């Protein structure tokens, strides 16, 4: 496709420019992340049975996601700071693990499947020991298996089975029923297919659980002599201080919970609109929520309701649910360890913790924008299934409807004819240009300690720790 080739060439030119602007060397996984993200989305595209127009749209979605990921200014801290190398390595191995584990689920050869699962296990441990948040990739693979493989197969098998014939008198076993009534064999084949899919999902889930248990056990073995889980977390550590994480020391449980939930709003704002970037979100940078009547609780409620709406409005039980549910799960699961909701961490907000969740955010943006830019073009060669279904049995009717509905799927072509598509395209270009400008400016903030802390003072003027650092810099 000439248009796709032009977009691909433009994408790689943008990636080279972003590489120069962010001053990364070739060993920095930022360049690798964009490439792996594109490969992951292309795999998601080719693994699904869609027409050429849908596949072109998904490739375009992968390109948009890679560009947004490359120019996003929230990555500057993870790429520039030395401590951010753990985030970059963990994200790189996590994407490799997810890609390998999903590919292993679709392999037919037993030897190839075992080899792929072995490579995936090695990639998981490399990622998890680079950064703890990489362990959440297990949940991404598990939910992908459930939403994109198991549930569609089970749902379609039960749909094809139709109504199950009632067993005859004295028949206690399905095997006896099949022998006595040959017409019921097809129904039981569908049920056995559903049961086999559930069993395979259980085996693959057991594989993921064993990886998680092995990681936790090995981590405890390396870091503790007493083999207690508390020894390898920050719950008993002196690194948890009121200065860096003031919400953890709130006495009122309701205030503590509401304040931590509002922190997720600030994280979401950093992904959507990274205007206020700060290297130190310490004490009093974000005021705590003291009462339920605080208006900020409405913002928190709106955020969580939006996430739930996007998930369930795009979730489909009878077939794979598209990329949006997976992107939302990626954001939520990878963000949970650093959110402060389930684990105690030594910081209130850190931009580097959004490096891996931003992968899901970029997938989400790419999918939404590509759907708006690719318009439907109805296929005129559609056969009416009613005439075909009238000559077949009940089960054949269901299968004929499914096959003809697939052939009647509308293809998608890139078009800017509608007003909505033009507005979305202009907003996309403006958003990427603005993110690039923010990335260039943020790189200049990280040049020296003085420029870094002065820029942080503009975002959090009430932070006592930032004021102290600015005083030290100006004194020297």
């Amino acid at each position: 496709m000439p248009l796709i080739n032009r977009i691909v060439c433009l994408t790689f030119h943008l990636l080279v420019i972003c590489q120069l602007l962010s001053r990364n060397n070739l060993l920095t996984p930022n360049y690798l992340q964009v490439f792996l993200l594109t490969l992951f989305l292309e795999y998601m595209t080719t693994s699904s049975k869609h027409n050429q127009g849908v596949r072109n749209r998904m490739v375009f979605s992968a390109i948009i996601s890679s560009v947004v990921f490359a120019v996003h200014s929230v990555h500057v801290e993870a790429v520039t700071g030395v401590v951010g190398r753990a985030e970059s390595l963990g994200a790189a191995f996590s994407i490799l693990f997810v890609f390998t584990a999903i590919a292993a689920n679709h392999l037919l050869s037993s030897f190839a499947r075992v080899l792929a699962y072995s490579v995936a296990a090695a990639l998981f441990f490399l990622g998890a020991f680079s950064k703890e948040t990489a362990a959440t990739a297990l949940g991404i693979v598990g939910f992908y298996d459930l939403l994109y493989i198991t549930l569609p197969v089970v749902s379609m098998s039960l749909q094809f089975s139709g109504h199950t014939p009632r067993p005859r008198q004295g028949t206690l076993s399905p095997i006896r029923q099949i022998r006595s009534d040959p017409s019921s064999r097809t129904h039981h084949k569908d049920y056995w297919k559903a049961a086999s899919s559930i069993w395979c999902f259980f085996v693959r889930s057991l594989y993921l659980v064993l990886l998680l248990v092995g990681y936790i056990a090995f981590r405890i073995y390396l870091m503790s002599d007493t083999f207690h889980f508390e020894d390898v977390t920050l719950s008993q550590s002196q690194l948890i201080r009121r200065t860096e994480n003031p919400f953890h020391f709130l006495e009122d449980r309701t205030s503590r919970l509401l304040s931590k939930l509002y922190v997720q709003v600030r994280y979401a704002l950093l992904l959507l609109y990274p205007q206020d970037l700060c290297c130190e979100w310490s004490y009093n940078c974000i005021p705590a929520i003291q009462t339920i009547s605080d208006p900020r609780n409405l913002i928190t409620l709106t955020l969580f309701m939006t996430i739930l709406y996007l998930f369930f409005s795009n979730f489909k039980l009878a077939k794979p649910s598209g990329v949006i549910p997976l992107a939302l799960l990626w954001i939520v699961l990878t963000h949970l360890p650093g959110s402060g909701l389930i684990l105690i961490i030594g910081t209130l907000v850190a931009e580097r913790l959004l490096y891996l969740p931003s992968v899901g955010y970029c997938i989400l943006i790419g999918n939404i924008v590509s759907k708006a830019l690719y318009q439907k073009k109805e296929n005129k060669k559609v056969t009416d299934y009613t005439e075909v279904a009238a000559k077949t049995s009940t089960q054949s009717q269901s299968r004929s409807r499914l096959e003809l509905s697939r052939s009647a799927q509308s293809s998608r072509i890139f078009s800017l004819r509608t007003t909505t598509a033009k507005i979305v395209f202009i907003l996309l270009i403006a958003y990427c240009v603005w993110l690039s400008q923010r990335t260039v400016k943020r790189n200049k903030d990280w040049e020296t300690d003085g420029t870094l802390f002065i820029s942080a003072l503009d975002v959090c003027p009430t932070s006592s720790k930032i004021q102290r650092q600015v005083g030290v810099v100006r004194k020297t």
Side-chain angles (χ1 to χ4, degrees), residues 441-457:
K441 184 178 183 301
R442 190 59 179 162
N443 283 329
K444 295 180 180 179
D445 292 339
W446 277 84
E447 288 183 352
T448 62
D449 292 341
T451 57
L452 180 62
F453 290 116
I454 290 176
S455 65
L457 189 62

Side-chain angles (χ1 to χ4, degrees), residues 93-153:
F93 287 122
S94 295
I95 296 177
L96 277 174
F97 165 73
V98 171
F99 181 80
T100 308
I102 291 177
N105 294 337
H106 298 278
L107 294 177
L108 299 178
S109 173
S110 300
F111 175 77
R113 194 182 303 115
V114 171
L115 180 61
Y117 280 129
S118 302
V119 174
L123 292 172
F124 165 74
F125 283 108
L126 288 174
F129 286 112
S130 298
K131 185 64 178 178
E132 297 83 355
T133 54
T136 56
L138 295 174
I140 298 173
V141 175
F143 276 105
Y144 175 86
D145 194 353
L146 178 65
L147 299 180
Y148 291 78
I149 300 178
T150 305
L151 286 181
V153 172

Side-chain angles (χ1 to χ4, degrees), residues 77 276-282 285 351 438 441-442 445-446 448-467 469-470:
E77 179 178 339
D276 296 330
L277 299 175
C278 183
C279 63
E280 185 63 54
W281 299 79
S282 54
C285 187
E351 296 166 12
R438 288 294 301 148
K441 184 178 183 301
R442 190 59 179 162
D445 292 339
W446 277 84
T448 62
D449 292 341
T451 57
L452 180 62
F453 290 116
I454 290 176
S455 65
L457 189 62
D458 296 334
V459 178
C460 297
T462 58
S463 174
S464 58
K465 189 173 181 179
I466 294 178
Q467 292 177 0
Q469 295 294 338
V470 172

Side-chain angles (χ1 to χ4, degrees), residues 333-373:
L333 291 178
T334 56
H335 178 62
L336 273 179
S339 63
L341 295 175
I342 59 176
L343 295 176
I344 302 174
I345 59 177
T347 183
L348 185 62
V349 176
E351 296 166 12
R352 64 182 182 276
L353 299 180
L354 290 176
Y355 194 83
L356 186 56
S358 65
V359 176
Y361 170 74
C362 295
I363 296 174
L364 181 64
I365 293 296
N367 186 265
I368 294 176
V369 171
S370 63
K371 284 184 177 180
L373 297 181

Side-chain angles (χ1 to χ4, degrees), residues 14 64 67-68 71 427-437:
L14 288 175
I64 295 175
V67 171
V68 174
V71 300
L427 290 178
L428 174 65
I429 298 299
Y431 187 59
C432 292
V433 171
W434 179 76
L435 286 177
S436 303
Q437 180 267 336

Side-chain angles (χ1 to χ4, degrees), residues 66-95:
S66 61
V67 171
V68 174
F69 185 86
V71 300
H72 208 293
S73 55
V74 81
H75 299 154
V76 175
E77 179 178 339
V79 173
T80 307
V82 177
V83 69
R85 291 295 184 263
E87 312 289 341
S88 303
L89 288 174
F93 287 122
S94 295
I95 296 177

Side-chain angles (χ1 to χ4, degrees), residues 247-271:
F247 291 171
H248 176 67
F249 295 91
L250 294 175
E251 297 180 357
D252 188 13
R253 293 184 178 180
T254 303
S255 177
R256 186 193 312 160
L257 177 61
L258 294 177
S259 299
K260 288 185 177 182
L261 290 175
Y262 178 72
V263 169
Q264 316 316 314
V265 176
R266 302 304 295 263
Y267 273 118
L269 189 61
L270 288 175
L271 284 177

